[in-house]
Structure formats: structure tokens, C-alpha cells
Amino acid sequence: MKWRSNRRSTNVDDRRGASSGRSSGGGLNPMLIGLLLKLVTSKKGLIIVAIVAGVMYFTGNNPLNFLTGNTNNQIQNTTYKGTAKENELAAFSNRVLRSTEDVWNKIIPNYKEPTLVLFTGSVTSACGGASSATGPFYCPGDDKLYIDLSFFEEMARKLNAPGDFAQAYVIAHEVGHHIQNLTGMNRKVQSMRGKISQTEYNKLSVMLELQADFYAGVWAHHAKNMELILDAGDLKEALNAAHAIGDDRLQKQSTGRVVPDSFTHGTSAQRMRWFKKGFETGDVNQGDTFNARSL
């Protein structure tokens, strides 16, 4: 995959090495210090200072961003020193995210770009806490994708799904969930929880996941034409990754048996089929997994 010359995204929150999952780099900056020194000279100012300090302590955010209109999502961790391989994966993920931004901004008017959060070990999101064992996930509560880069090593070593385009597929799939959040499909499915049986809800979950696979394919279709990023064999890498994380294959590996009623992501064949359909058509209107005659 040709990615090194691609532009970088500004929507990356690098929390690698952070102990609490809180964004790094949240300390006082010189502009805020100057503002606080002026305020501290009055009684009313002392109250404001206390409020500002409280906001920074409990959220890890710099309130000056809201005062100045600076809401740039990119937060760089300047203290964490990752390995050369991990840092390369971070740079790769950044550029893949930018590629998805370029594609979806072209397809969706006024596209709201998500933020990619890189973490190690554990992380806190608007959807709750999660560990590396959770795997990559998207949180609709804060429009953010979360990934511990060690997952890519797990893909290659444990799932036998190596390759940079396989890794790009994972990121594009999570962006697919962001698209579903923008369209309201994610909320529609979530609203059915508790109203139908678990088996029926699992079927809806499968449809949601397969549609995210389709959207990943749509990204790959347009990225191929817009940026000429694909090398020979890249499509095979993505399809192999889709096959590796099928419910039937994972269940067979872990328990030796397959229970279709418990599927939540789709079979290997289904995941490959919907990614390939998105890749071949590039047409978002052909990804309605909820009304498809067969998955």
C-alpha cells in the first residue's frame, strides 16, 4: 500500500502511554497562564480561576480552546517513546484516517470527521472504559475511533491476517460505524435492544457490522481512484482480514463449534462479500444490509 507520501490527518488523539486514558498534553499553556494572572487580581477573578482549574483537572481539556474557538482535535503525546515499528504504525494510521476523510468528504456533504484515538493498555471513552483486549472500536457518544496499535500485531500473529491494507481495512471499518452514526442507523439498531429477543438483536448487529464492512469497501474503491494507493495484492489482504474475523471462524478456533444464533458480526464469507461489494461498486446506495434478500 502506498501511504508514506499521503497527507496527515489533524484528527488524531495520541494517548499512547497515558496511564488514565486521559488525553496527554493537557497542561497550562502560556496564554492561559497570562489570562489567569489577570483574573487573580480580583475576587471575581479568583472564582473564575477555580472554575477553570476544576475543568482542566476533571476533563483534561484546556478551556482556552473554547474561549478562542480553537477546537483542533489533534493532541500529540510528547513524552511517550514508542518503538520504531509502533511509531510507524501510528504514522500509517494517521494517513489512512486522512484518506477516509478525503473520500467521505467527497461523498457526504458537510461530513463530520471522526477522531482517531491511539492508546496503549486501556482507555476511557464516552462509552466507558476499555482495554486492549476489546480490540478496535467506535464510540458513537464522542464520535471517536479507538485502537491499540498492538492489535495489528495480533492480527498478523494470531489471526494470520498480515499486511498494511488489512490494517487499513480495520480503520476504515470503524469509520464505517461513524457513517452509520451520522445516518442514524446506529441509533436505530441500539433502540431495539431489550425490545426484541437477543437472537433477533444479534441479527441486527450482524447487519450493522456487514454494512460497516461495505463502507470500508466503498472507501477502498474511491481511495484507489483518487490517490492510487493500492499495490498488487492489497485487495487480497483486506479480504483475508475480513475472512479472519468472521464469527464462524473465530468461534471454531476458540470453542471448536459454531453457534449461528450468537453471531454478532457475520460469517467470514459474509464479511468478505460485503467488503468486496463496496469495493467493486463504490456506491453507498448499494449497502443496505438491512433490506438485502440475503447476507
Side-chain angles (χ1 to χ4, degrees), residues 70-84:
N70 177 15
T71 56
N72 191 324
N73 288 323
Q74 185 161 357
I75 302 173
Q76 294 296 333
N77 188 337
T78 58
T79 59
Y80 178 74
K81 304 296 182 183
T83 64

Side-chain angles (χ1 to χ4, degrees), residues 1-7 88 95:
M1 180 178 172
K2 305 178 183 71
W3 61 271
R4 296 181 187 279
S5 62
N6 289 7
R7 293 176 298 164
E88 182 174 74
R95 287 165 173 81

